Amino acid sequence: MRVPETYSLLVLARIGNMFNAFISYAWRDNEPFPGNDEGWVSIFVDGLRVLLNRELPSAFPQGSIWRDDEQLRGSDHISDTIRDRLHQSWLFVPILSRSWLNSTWCQDELDIFIGLHGPKSGRIFPIWMEPVEGLSELFGKMSKYKFWYEDKNKQSRIRWFPYPNHTDHEYGHILQDLARDMGARLQLLAEEEESLIFPDGQHCVLINGGDNDWELMQAVARHLDEEYGIGYALPPRQDASLNETEMERDLCDKLSVCNNVLFVYDKGPERQVQQHITETLRIIRRSEYPPPLNITLCLPHGRQFGFKPSHMRVFQCSGPRLEDCARQLAQVLA
């Protein structure tokens, strides 16, 4: 599975703008029992949020689970806010109960989510709060996380209801299983998003350097494209009549669709190349969801360079042409 450090900025931005899960539940199932501050659904979501955070890389927003706790449902139809949250959620978690099954709003939430992703998307994680007839018609063979059991008298009992029972360790085990399965699915969805941007393991490299190495940058770009099928982006020339803000905007836009950055240094000037590296790192780090992109510096064999961030690769080309760094980078990305 792809480690989070290699997600592109574009995918990380999408992850950051989405909720990990939408909780669909009936209000009656979250009424606090006398003496309790929270209802069953609230306690369940609090626990799931903590466990899911442990399963996800830091690239995912922590605690990003949405549920309607302000009664946003309209009297006759789903509100625009709930509809928007369904569009913005990766996963759908229905709290299945008799009240849920009898709720028009809950059914509408399910219909909207299935309409967005289909019935077999693997994005729905049903929570079986209590025994309910008719679930097979709605959810087929989907895994249902069963939070009820039968006691010795064959009576159904909801775990942690009416009061949280911290001696009931099975509740925590089921919740852990749910969080692990959801975490795995979320990371797979991020993988799928990445593959849409870089299909079949393809890459896009932002190539930058000093003013005196513009022709070298173009030559490296041609080699990457023609010989190795690797996409590239070049910055505008310094004489392109762009102001500082426009230059920075151009760099941000190109970083958002690249998963590698290559700096070339031959004639430099060195200080300008260092400034480009610093500016790139600054943009990445101030991003709301910053990934350390794969950053590489290419320079002639034996040449000294006075700046090296800890995670930056350095290629020293021993061949007659500095364009050889295209071959070295292609080998690393293969």
Side-chain angles (χ1 to χ4, degrees), residues 25-206:
Y25 70 101
W27 277 93
R28 291 183 62 182
D29 293 329
N30 200 36
E31 293 182 11
F33 198 76
N36 281 0
D37 294 330
E38 293 185 298
W40 192 92
V41 175
S42 295
I43 294 172
F44 165 83
V45 172
D46 288 345
L48 177 60
R49 182 178 286 114
V50 171
L51 292 174
L52 186 57
N53 286 347
R54 294 174 59 88
E55 299 297 327
L56 291 173
S58 59
F60 285 80
Q62 301 296 288
S64 179
I65 296 177
W66 194 88
R67 67 182 175 93
D68 176 15
D69 54 6
E70 298 178 0
Q71 301 191 35
L72 295 173
R73 294 164 179 164
S75 57
D76 298 316
H77 62 277
I78 292 290
S79 72
D80 291 339
T81 299
I82 290 181
R83 191 179 296 273
D84 289 343
R85 296 299 179 265
L86 286 163
H87 279 259
Q88 296 166 347
S89 297
W90 292 104
L91 306 177
F92 185 81
V93 181
I95 310 295
L96 303 179
S97 66
R98 291 185 293 273
S99 296
W100 186 94
L101 202 61
N102 293 326
S103 168
T104 301
W105 297 293
C106 292
Q107 301 296 309
D108 288 345
E109 290 167 355
L110 176 64
D111 290 343
I112 291 171
F113 195 84
I114 289 178
L116 291 170
H117 303 289
K120 298 180 180 180
S121 63
R123 294 171 179 255
I124 300 176
F125 289 78
I127 306 305
W128 204 355
M129 180 182 177
E130 62 182 0
V132 183
E133 295 182 1
L135 291 183
S136 59
E137 298 176 7
L138 283 174
F139 299 100
K141 297 182 180 179
M142 291 182 193
S143 297
K144 302 178 187 69
Y145 299 85
K146 184 179 174 182
F147 283 85
W148 65 273
Y149 65 97
E150 287 187 348
D151 64 15
K152 60 183 179 181
N153 296 319
K154 301 298 182 181
Q155 296 294 315
S156 61
R157 305 292 181 187
I158 301 174
R159 297 187 183 278
W160 283 40
F161 183 83
Y163 298 104
N165 179 7
H166 296 283
T167 64
D168 179 9
H169 300 301
E170 187 64 20
Y171 177 95
H173 295 162
I174 301 169
L175 200 59
Q176 279 187 317
D177 291 342
L178 171 65
R180 287 170 181 165
D181 293 345
M182 289 175 62
R185 186 69 181 113
L186 284 165
Q187 292 181 76
L188 183 59
L189 288 171
E191 281 281 290
E192 293 171 358
E193 290 284 324
E194 188 84 2
S195 68
L196 295 176
I197 300 173
F198 305 107
D200 300 324
Q202 293 178 13
H203 299 273
C204 187
V205 182
L206 174 63

Side-chain angles (χ1 to χ4, degrees), residues 1-2 6 14 19 42 69 74 91 111 124 126 147 208-209 230-231 235 245 247 258 263 287 292 298-299 303 306 316:
M1 181 170 291
R2 184 187 295 271
T6 59
R14 176 157 167 73
F19 293 97
S42 295
D69 54 6
L91 306 177
D111 290 343
I124 300 176
F147 283 85
N208 209 341
I230 295 175
T245 300
M247 294 286 287
C258 291
F263 295 98
S287 172
C298 180
L299 69 168
R303 179 74 59 85
Q316 291 200 344

